Amino acid sequence: MDNVTRLQYLEAMGIAVWLPRVAVDQLQVPDAKVKLTDNWESLQAEVSRCKRCDLCETRKSTVSGAGNINAEWLIVGEAPGLSEDQQGLPFVGKTGLLLTEMLRAINLAREDVFITNVLKCRPPDNREPKSHEVETCKTYLLREHALLKPKIILALGHVAAQALLNTQEPLVELRGKVHALNDTPLVVVYHPAYLLRSLLGKRKAWEDLKFAMQTVKNCKG
Ligand code: URA
Protein backbone atom coordinates (compact mmCIF):
# COMPACT_ATOMS: atom_id res chain seq x y z
CA MET A 1 0.00 0.00 0.00
CA ASP A 2 1.46 3.40 -0.88
CA ASN A 3 1.74 6.21 1.64
CA VAL A 4 -1.18 8.16 0.21
CA THR A 5 -3.53 5.18 0.51
CA ARG A 6 -2.23 4.44 3.98
CA LEU A 7 -2.87 8.00 5.12
CA GLN A 8 -6.36 7.85 3.60
CA TYR A 9 -7.10 4.75 5.65
CA LEU A 10 -5.85 6.39 8.81
CA GLU A 11 -7.78 9.57 8.09
CA ALA A 12 -10.94 7.52 7.48
CA MET A 13 -10.39 5.88 10.85
CA GLY A 14 -9.99 9.32 12.44
CA ILE A 15 -6.39 8.64 13.41
CA ALA A 16 -3.43 10.97 13.09
CA VAL A 17 -0.31 8.89 13.67
CA TRP A 18 3.14 8.69 12.26
CA LEU A 19 5.66 6.10 13.35
CA PRO A 20 8.65 4.64 11.53
CA ARG A 21 7.68 2.04 8.95
CA VAL A 22 8.37 -1.57 9.89
CA ALA A 23 9.34 -3.82 7.02
CA VAL A 24 7.47 -7.08 6.72
CA ASP A 25 10.80 -8.89 6.35
CA GLN A 26 11.66 -7.87 9.92
CA LEU A 27 9.11 -10.38 11.17
CA GLN A 28 10.73 -12.93 13.42
CA VAL A 29 9.87 -16.56 13.09
CA PRO A 30 9.47 -18.11 16.54
CA ASP A 31 12.31 -20.22 17.84
CA ALA A 32 12.32 -22.85 20.57
CA LYS A 33 12.66 -21.14 23.92
CA VAL A 34 9.76 -22.59 25.83
CA LYS A 35 10.69 -25.25 28.34
CA LEU A 36 7.43 -27.14 28.46
CA THR A 37 6.39 -30.49 27.10
CA ASP A 38 5.37 -28.49 24.03
CA ASN A 39 7.65 -26.01 22.29
CA TRP A 40 7.60 -23.68 19.30
CA GLU A 41 9.95 -25.82 17.26
CA SER A 42 7.96 -29.03 17.48
CA LEU A 43 4.70 -27.16 16.98
CA GLN A 44 5.97 -25.53 13.81
CA ALA A 45 7.40 -28.84 12.56
CA GLU A 46 4.05 -30.58 13.12
CA VAL A 47 2.17 -27.84 11.31
CA SER A 48 4.58 -27.96 8.37
CA ARG A 49 3.85 -31.65 7.74
CA CYS A 50 0.16 -31.58 8.71
CA LYS A 51 -2.22 -33.69 6.62
CA ARG A 52 -5.21 -33.60 8.93
CA CYS A 53 -7.53 -32.12 6.30
CA ASP A 54 -7.82 -31.72 2.53
CA LEU A 55 -6.26 -28.27 2.55
CA CYS A 56 -2.87 -29.99 2.57
CA GLU A 57 -3.58 -31.03 -1.03
CA THR A 58 -3.91 -27.48 -2.34
CA ARG A 59 -1.54 -25.47 -0.13
CA LYS A 60 1.89 -24.35 -1.28
CA SER A 61 3.08 -23.67 2.29
CA THR A 62 1.73 -24.05 5.76
CA VAL A 63 1.53 -20.76 7.66
CA SER A 64 2.33 -21.00 11.35
CA GLY A 65 2.08 -18.01 13.65
CA ALA A 66 5.01 -15.59 13.57
CA GLY A 67 6.31 -12.68 15.55
CA ASN A 68 7.52 -12.03 19.06
CA ILE A 69 7.25 -15.13 21.24
CA ASN A 70 7.37 -12.90 24.31
CA ALA A 71 4.54 -10.71 23.04
CA GLU A 72 1.68 -9.51 25.24
CA TRP A 73 -0.64 -9.37 22.19
CA LEU A 74 -1.80 -12.44 20.29
CA ILE A 75 -3.45 -11.40 17.04
CA VAL A 76 -5.62 -14.07 15.41
CA GLY A 77 -6.87 -13.90 11.82
CA GLU A 78 -8.89 -16.30 9.72
CA ALA A 79 -6.68 -18.18 7.27
CA PRO A 80 -3.73 -17.59 4.93
CA GLY A 81 -4.45 -15.94 1.59
CA LEU A 82 -2.45 -16.17 -1.62
CA SER A 83 0.56 -14.10 -0.48
CA GLU A 84 0.69 -15.91 2.86
CA ASP A 85 0.54 -19.29 1.11
CA GLN A 86 3.38 -18.24 -1.17
CA GLN A 87 5.58 -16.81 1.59
CA GLY A 88 4.67 -19.10 4.48
CA LEU A 89 4.05 -16.12 6.81
CA PRO A 90 0.79 -14.69 8.16
CA PHE A 91 -0.64 -11.34 7.04
CA VAL A 92 1.99 -10.40 4.49
CA GLY A 93 -0.38 -9.45 1.65
CA LYS A 94 -2.53 -6.35 1.17
CA THR A 95 -4.63 -7.20 4.22
CA GLY A 96 -1.43 -7.60 6.21
CA LEU A 97 -0.38 -4.08 5.34
CA LEU A 98 -3.64 -2.76 6.72
CA LEU A 99 -3.20 -4.88 9.84
CA THR A 100 0.26 -3.32 10.26
CA GLU A 101 -1.37 0.11 10.05
CA MET A 102 -4.05 -0.85 12.55
CA LEU A 103 -1.37 -1.99 14.98
CA ARG A 104 0.68 1.09 14.36
CA ALA A 105 -2.37 3.19 15.23
CA ILE A 106 -2.21 1.76 18.74
CA ASN A 107 1.56 2.16 18.94
CA LEU A 108 2.37 -1.47 18.27
CA ALA A 109 4.92 -2.59 15.71
CA ARG A 110 4.71 -5.97 14.01
CA GLU A 111 7.67 -7.18 16.06
CA ASP A 112 5.82 -6.33 19.30
CA VAL A 113 3.06 -8.86 18.66
CA PHE A 114 2.52 -12.48 17.69
CA ILE A 115 0.30 -12.95 14.65
CA THR A 116 -1.41 -16.16 13.64
CA ASN A 117 -4.53 -17.57 11.99
CA VAL A 118 -7.21 -20.08 12.89
CA LEU A 119 -6.26 -22.13 9.81
CA LYS A 120 -2.64 -22.82 8.97
CA CYS A 121 -3.37 -23.60 5.30
CA ARG A 122 -5.02 -21.50 2.61
CA PRO A 123 -8.57 -22.51 1.65
CA PRO A 124 -8.87 -22.69 -2.17
CA ASP A 125 -9.97 -19.37 -3.72
CA ASN A 126 -9.87 -17.83 -0.23
CA ARG A 127 -13.25 -19.33 0.61
CA GLU A 128 -14.40 -19.19 4.22
CA PRO A 129 -13.02 -21.99 6.41
CA LYS A 130 -15.34 -24.98 6.87
CA SER A 131 -16.29 -25.89 10.40
CA HIS A 132 -14.45 -29.24 10.32
CA GLU A 133 -11.29 -27.43 9.14
CA VAL A 134 -11.60 -24.96 12.03
CA GLU A 135 -12.10 -27.75 14.55
CA THR A 136 -9.20 -29.79 13.18
CA CYS A 137 -6.76 -26.89 13.00
CA LYS A 138 -7.78 -25.16 16.22
CA THR A 139 -5.53 -27.35 18.34
CA TYR A 140 -2.50 -25.64 16.76
CA LEU A 141 -3.92 -22.24 17.65
CA LEU A 142 -4.61 -23.34 21.21
CA ARG A 143 -1.04 -24.61 21.49
CA GLU A 144 0.27 -21.27 20.21
CA HIS A 145 -1.83 -19.56 22.85
CA ALA A 146 -0.56 -21.87 25.60
CA LEU A 147 3.06 -21.31 24.60
CA LEU A 148 2.75 -17.56 24.25
CA LYS A 149 0.66 -16.80 27.36
CA PRO A 150 -0.39 -13.39 26.03
CA LYS A 151 -1.96 -10.61 28.08
CA ILE A 152 -4.64 -10.10 25.44
CA ILE A 153 -6.02 -11.82 22.35
CA LEU A 154 -7.29 -9.73 19.46
CA ALA A 155 -9.66 -11.80 17.32
CA LEU A 156 -9.86 -10.35 13.81
CA GLY A 157 -13.30 -10.93 12.35
CA HIS A 158 -16.07 -13.42 12.95
CA VAL A 159 -14.21 -16.62 11.98
CA ALA A 160 -11.46 -16.07 14.57
CA ALA A 161 -13.91 -14.82 17.18
CA GLN A 162 -16.34 -17.69 16.76
CA ALA A 163 -13.57 -20.30 16.68
CA LEU A 164 -11.89 -18.97 19.82
CA LEU A 165 -15.11 -18.45 21.73
CA ASN A 166 -16.92 -21.57 20.54
CA THR A 167 -19.94 -19.59 19.50
CA GLN A 168 -22.04 -18.84 16.43
CA GLU A 169 -22.89 -15.32 17.57
CA PRO A 170 -22.35 -12.69 14.88
CA LEU A 171 -19.52 -10.19 15.06
CA VAL A 172 -21.82 -7.28 15.92
CA GLU A 173 -22.80 -9.08 19.12
CA LEU A 174 -19.24 -10.01 19.99
CA ARG A 175 -17.39 -6.71 19.57
CA GLY A 176 -17.28 -4.10 22.33
CA LYS A 177 -17.07 -6.72 25.08
CA VAL A 178 -14.22 -8.36 26.96
CA HIS A 179 -14.44 -12.13 26.45
CA ALA A 180 -11.91 -14.69 27.66
CA LEU A 181 -10.06 -17.71 26.37
CA ASN A 182 -9.13 -19.65 29.47
CA ASP A 183 -7.84 -16.74 31.58
CA THR A 184 -6.77 -14.48 28.74
CA PRO A 185 -8.96 -11.47 27.93
CA LEU A 186 -10.14 -11.54 24.34
CA VAL A 187 -11.42 -8.61 22.30
CA VAL A 188 -13.11 -8.95 18.92
CA VAL A 189 -12.43 -6.41 16.16
CA TYR A 190 -13.33 -6.11 12.50
CA HIS A 191 -11.10 -8.08 10.14
CA PRO A 192 -8.78 -5.82 8.12
CA ALA A 193 -10.07 -7.45 4.90
CA TYR A 194 -13.53 -6.11 5.74
CA LEU A 195 -12.03 -2.69 6.33
CA LEU A 196 -10.49 -2.76 2.87
CA ARG A 197 -14.04 -2.97 1.53
CA SER A 198 -15.88 -0.71 3.95
CA LEU A 199 -14.98 2.87 4.81
CA LEU A 200 -17.79 2.91 7.38
CA GLY A 201 -16.23 0.02 9.24
CA LYS A 202 -13.01 1.89 9.79
CA ARG A 203 -14.32 4.17 12.51
CA LYS A 204 -15.81 1.21 14.32
CA ALA A 205 -12.50 -0.59 13.98
CA TRP A 206 -10.75 2.32 15.62
CA GLU A 207 -13.24 2.15 18.51
CA ASP A 208 -12.52 -1.59 18.83
CA LEU A 209 -8.77 -1.00 18.91
CA LYS A 210 -9.08 1.69 21.57
CA PHE A 211 -11.25 -0.70 23.57
CA ALA A 212 -8.58 -3.41 23.29
CA MET A 213 -5.88 -0.98 24.43
CA GLN A 214 -7.98 0.02 27.42
CA THR A 215 -8.55 -3.66 28.24
CA VAL A 216 -4.80 -4.29 28.37
CA LYS A 217 -4.29 -1.21 30.55
CA ASN A 218 -7.02 -2.37 32.94
CA CYS A 219 -5.44 -5.85 33.12
CA LYS A 220 -2.09 -4.35 34.07
CA GLY A 221 -3.88 -2.40 36.79
N1 URA B 1 -3.97 -13.05 5.72
C1 URA B 1 -3.89 -13.83 6.81
O1 URA B 1 -2.82 -14.32 7.17
N2 URA B 1 -5.01 -14.04 7.52
C2 URA B 1 -6.17 -13.51 7.20
O2 URA B 1 -7.15 -13.72 7.92
C3 URA B 1 -6.23 -12.70 6.03
C4 URA B 1 -5.13 -12.49 5.32
Side-chain angles (χ1 to χ4, degrees):
M1 189 189 306
D2 59 33
N3 265 351
V4 175
T5 316
R6 186 170 67 77
L7 289 171
Q8 279 168 348
Y9 276 125
L10 292 175
E11 199 185 325
M13 289 168 74
I15 306 164
V17 284
W18 183 261
L19 294 170
R21 177 170 281 282
V22 178
V24 167
D25 61 9
Q26 285 172 18
L27 276 179
Q28 304 154 24
V29 176
D31 54 14
K33 283 190 189 156
V34 183
K35 292 191 190 76
L36 295 169
T37 48
D38 200 4
N39 63 61
W40 290 110
E41 216 167 40
S42 59
L43 176 54
Q44 216 171 18
E46 272 181 59
V47 169
S48 70
R49 53 175 185 260
C50 183
K51 294 203 167 139
R52 289 184 191 173
C53 78
D54 288 349
L55 296 182
C56 69
E57 309 287 342
T58 46
R59 74 179 178 221
K60 179 170 181 285
S61 330
T62 55
V63 181
S64 283
N68 186 337
I69 57 166
N70 297 310
E72 295 187 344
W73 291 68
L74 173 61
I75 317 288
V76 183
E78 180 175 316
L82 179 64
S83 309
E84 290 78 18
D85 182 53
Q86 284 166 344
Q87 296 182 45
L89 285 168
F91 281 97
V92 287
K94 202 171 164 191
T95 316
L97 286 172
L98 185 51
L99 174 62
T100 305
E101 297 308 327
M102 288 168 70
L103 293 172
R104 204 199 308 228
I106 52 172
N107 287 329
L108 289 172
R110 294 276 297 225
E111 65 260 38
D112 294 332
V113 302
F114 189 86
I115 302 175
T116 192
N117 283 302
V118 176
L119 295 195
K120 308 306 187 216
C121 296
R122 180 189 182 212
D125 302 320
N126 297 342
R127 63 155 168 76
E128 189 155 306
K130 295 189 174 158
S131 57
H132 74 272
E133 293 162 351
V134 169
E135 282 319 303
T136 309
C137 214
K138 208 165 97 175
T139 57
Y140 296 130
L141 173 59
L142 296 179
R143 285 168 66 185
E144 289 175 323
H145 171 247
L147 286 168
L148 190 68
K149 300 185 190 67
K151 287 220 166 21
I152 188 164
I153 301 169
L154 208 58
L156 305 176
H158 72 282
V159 172
Q162 291 173 349
L164 287 162
L165 297 171
N166 271 325
T167 180
Q168 288 303 312
E169 278 200 71
L171 187 95
V172 282
E173 298 295 331
L174 297 171
R175 57 184 285 274
K177 297 173 189 156
V178 183
H179 307 269
L181 176 70
N182 301 329
D183 288 333
T184 312
L186 185 154
V187 168
V188 177
V189 305
Y190 280 106
H191 192 286
Y194 169 71
L195 301 185
L196 282 173
R197 297 190 296 265
S198 158
L199 267 180
L200 278 179
K202 291 194 175 68
R203 272 200 185 273
K204 290 185 188 162
W206 177 227
E207 284 162 23
D208 291 345
L209 291 174
K210 284 193 288 187
F211 182 68
M213 261 194 313
Q214 194 54 49
T215 305
V216 169
K217 277 191 195 140
N218 294 346
C219 293
K220 287 182 176 172

